[in-house]
Amino acid sequence: MTDPTNGITFALEDASKRYGRLLALDRLNLTFAARTTTALIGSSGSGKSTVLRLLLGLERPEQGQVLVNGRILRSADVLALRRRVGYV
């Protein structure tokens, strides 16, 4: 992780997530710039919560990867990340 004064950049690269037979995300590519506020807006079931859960390491994608500051998010980094990020 980088210095907290520099902020955090998040990215999903070709991220896919399934819940049983339901495809929640299909090869999604998103980037969230450091020191910005982002709102995910969509209808119920569109994948908003799934995106947040992947970015915070609460869940893992079946395909693709989650990047934090340009590095793949590892299980060992998840707790420290959650302590630095505000989310609702």
Side-chain angles (χ1 to χ4, degrees), residues 25-76:
L25 299 177
D26 186 18
R27 299 186 64 180
L28 181 64
N29 291 290
L30 283 175
T31 301
F32 299 93
R35 309 195 64 74
T36 62
T37 300
T38 302
L40 295 175
I41 300 171
S43 60
S44 178
S46 64
K48 302 175 302 289
S49 294
T50 301
V51 167
L52 289 175
R53 295 179 67 76
L54 291 176
L55 292 174
L56 294 170
L58 296 170
E59 301 213 19
R60 310 283 301 167
E62 275 92 35
Q63 176 183 328
Q65 54 195 7
V66 178
L67 301 174
V68 178
N69 294 328
R71 296 182 6 208
I72 295 173
L73 180 60
R74 300 174 305 141
S75 296

